[in-house]
Amino acid sequence: KFRHPNLVILMGFSRNNRDRYLLYELLPGGDLCSRLQRDPSFDWRKRLTACLDASLGLSHLHNATPKVFHRDIKTQNILLDRNGTAKMADFGLALLAQPRDEGCAVAQCSGTIGYADPLYISSSVVTERSEVFSFGMVLLEVLTGRPPATQSVSGQVVYTYQHVCD
C-alpha cells in the first residue's frame, strides 16, 4: 500500500532469536547529507531534483488513508539511487494516524534536534504541518549546506537557523 518511487522498498525481513533484520533495496547514491558535504559535482539541479523527489514521497505518505507520519525527516534519511532519484528512508519512528485524523498524539516525541518542529515537541502531536516544518529544515540545509543544529564541544546544541524560527 505504501509503495511509491520515492519511498525506499522493503525487500524482506528476518528474525534470529532476539535479533530482527530488515532488508531494503540497495541505494548506492548515498544519503543527501553526505552528498551535500562531500560531492562538489552535486549541483543545484541535482539538489532541487532530490528535494522534489523526497517531497513526492512525503506527499504520498500524507495523502494515504490512513495518513502516515514519518517523524524523522532529515537529510540523512533521504537516500539516492544510482540515477540520483531520492527516496525517503528510515521509517523506524513512523506512525499511522487514525482514519480522518489530522494528527497523532504520541507518548514520547522523537526526531532529530534541529529538524523536529518545536510545536510537535511541546504538544506531543505530530501533524502534516510539523512534518512540513522538518522538510523546511531539510530545504534550508540543501540551500546553505549547513545542518539546522550542531553540538559544540561542551555538548551545547547550537541552532543554525534560530533567527529564522524566531
Side-chain angles (χ1 to χ4, degrees), residues 31 70 72-79 87-90:
D31 64 81
H70 187 279
D72 197 17
I73 299 165
K74 58 185 178 180
T75 54
Q76 294 93 332
N77 289 340
I78 300 172
L79 305 181
K87 299 182 179 215
M88 290 302 305
D90 192 355

Side-chain angles (χ1 to χ4, degrees), residues 11 15 18 25 27 34 36 45-46 51 56 61 64 67 71 84 88 107 112 120 123 130 146 149 158:
M11 306 294 284
R15 187 174 8 172
R18 299 186 83 177
E25 66 179 309
L27 295 169
S34 297
L36 290 169
R45 179 180 217 85
K46 292 175 186 172
C51 290
L56 291 171
L61 295 175
K67 284 182 188 279
R71 294 201 314 152
M88 290 302 305
T112 302
Y120 160 59
S123 69
S130 61
R146 297 173 57 205
V158 178

Side-chain angles (χ1 to χ4, degrees), residues 134-166:
S134 297
F135 191 72
M137 299 313 279
V138 166
L139 292 175
L140 280 172
E141 184 174 352
V142 169
L143 290 171
T144 65
R146 297 173 57 205
T150 56
Q151 194 166 15
S152 68
V153 289
S154 66
Q156 182 180 2
V157 176
V158 178
Y159 292 94
T160 307
Y161 308 112
Q162 185 65 41
H163 60 287
V164 175
C165 295
D166 290 343

Side-chain angles (χ1 to χ4, degrees), residues 3-20:
R3 287 200 183 261
H4 187 274
N6 301 111
L7 299 176
V8 171
I9 297 171
L10 176 65
M11 306 294 284
F13 61 93
S14 176
R15 187 174 8 172
N16 183 15
N17 295 324
R18 299 186 83 177
D19 297 327
R20 292 189 170 98

Side-chain angles (χ1 to χ4, degrees), residues 69-73 92-95 104 106-112 116 120 126 131 134:
F69 297 111
H70 187 279
R71 294 201 314 152
D72 197 17
I73 299 165
L93 298 176
L95 290 174
C104 202
V106 295
Q108 185 174 6
C109 291
S110 298
T112 302
Y120 160 59
V126 63
E131 300 250 289
S134 297

